[in-house]
Amino acid sequence: MGKVLWHVTMSLDGYVAGPDHAMDWMSGVRVDPAIPEESITGLGAVLGGRRGYDAVAERHPGRAGRQPYGGAWSGPVFVLTHHPEDAIPDPGITFLNCEVAEAVGIGLAAAGGKNLEIHGQDIARQCVEQDLIDEFYVHVAPVMLGTGVRLFDCPGIDPVRWALVHDGDPAQAVSLRYQRP
């Protein structure tokens, strides 16, 4: 069975999107090409949230499917929403109106033994709270946004600990060092 992955690029100050879910800040940010290739190979389905979906649908009307990874991957994409009836229709999207745990189960089943990626911070937060995320993969981009959609906003929650995936100490902190260009 596949894993439930939360895979995201984040700014140095903890934002994954700008105001109104804008992603133009990603222009010029480079990721090792092996990383998306590895993700695409193991990806079976995507589960996202309504706010992010609406932002993309409004910015790119008529772009059927809105597939992740710039269209290099295609497969089942689910959007969790309390109001599927007023969503902008898209033949590449299945809208779900259920609890997040059920949506994760539907996504994993559709993934056919591959991974389910979580896209959308509110959905990811709910999955973390319900211990549904198997792995968290974050790319830290060398940019500060100052505002936008936070990676994880959940006041009052106990610290959520992750083990670093590498050879060595799983509690080792990752050190980043940047300078102004």
Side-chain angles (χ1 to χ4, degrees), residues 88-159:
I88 298 170
D90 189 316
I93 304 293
T94 301
F95 295 97
L96 302 175
N97 181 5
C98 57
E99 295 298 319
V100 72
E102 183 180 353
V104 167
I106 291 167
L108 278 171
K114 289 187 168 189
N115 298 325
L116 171 66
E117 271 192 17
I118 304 300
H119 292 193
Q121 301 327 109
D122 190 50
I123 302 298
R125 178 195 51 80
Q126 292 174 59
C127 287
V128 168
E129 288 180 311
Q130 295 183 36
D131 199 26
L132 299 171
I133 303 282
D134 296 308
E135 195 169 298
F136 174 48
Y137 199 172
V138 61
H139 310 284
V140 180
V143 62
M144 292 178 163
L145 300 179
T147 188
V149 179
R150 285 213 160 276
L151 171 75
F152 188 70
D153 197 4
C154 194
I157 193 173
D158 288 337

Side-chain angles (χ1 to χ4, degrees), residues 4-128:
V4 179
L5 304 177
W6 183 14
H7 191 172
V8 66
T9 300
M10 173 184 77
S11 68
L12 285 170
D13 55 346
Y15 293 97
V16 295
D20 299 320
H21 291 267
M23 296 303 292
D24 54 345
W25 65 275
M26 292 279 299
S27 178
V29 172
R30 292 182 303 280
V31 175
D32 180 343
I35 293 170
E37 289 173 18
E38 176 187 334
S39 295
I40 290 167
T41 300
L43 184 56
V46 170
L47 173 62
R50 177 67 186 271
R51 282 186 291 252
Y53 170 78
D54 284 349
V56 171
E58 289 170 12
R59 283 187 185 92
H60 306 284
R63 198 175 104 202
R66 286 178 254 304
Q67 294 293 330
Y69 298 100
W73 175 85
S74 65
V77 176
F78 301 94
V79 172
L80 187 57
T81 177
H82 295 294
H83 299 284
E85 70 281 353
D86 63 6
I88 298 170
D90 189 316
I93 304 293
T94 301
F95 295 97
L96 302 175
N97 181 5
C98 57
E99 295 298 319
V100 72
E102 183 180 353
V104 167
I106 291 167
L108 278 171
K114 289 187 168 189
N115 298 325
L116 171 66
E117 271 192 17
I118 304 300
H119 292 193
Q121 301 327 109
D122 190 50
I123 302 298
R125 178 195 51 80
Q126 292 174 59
C127 287
V128 168

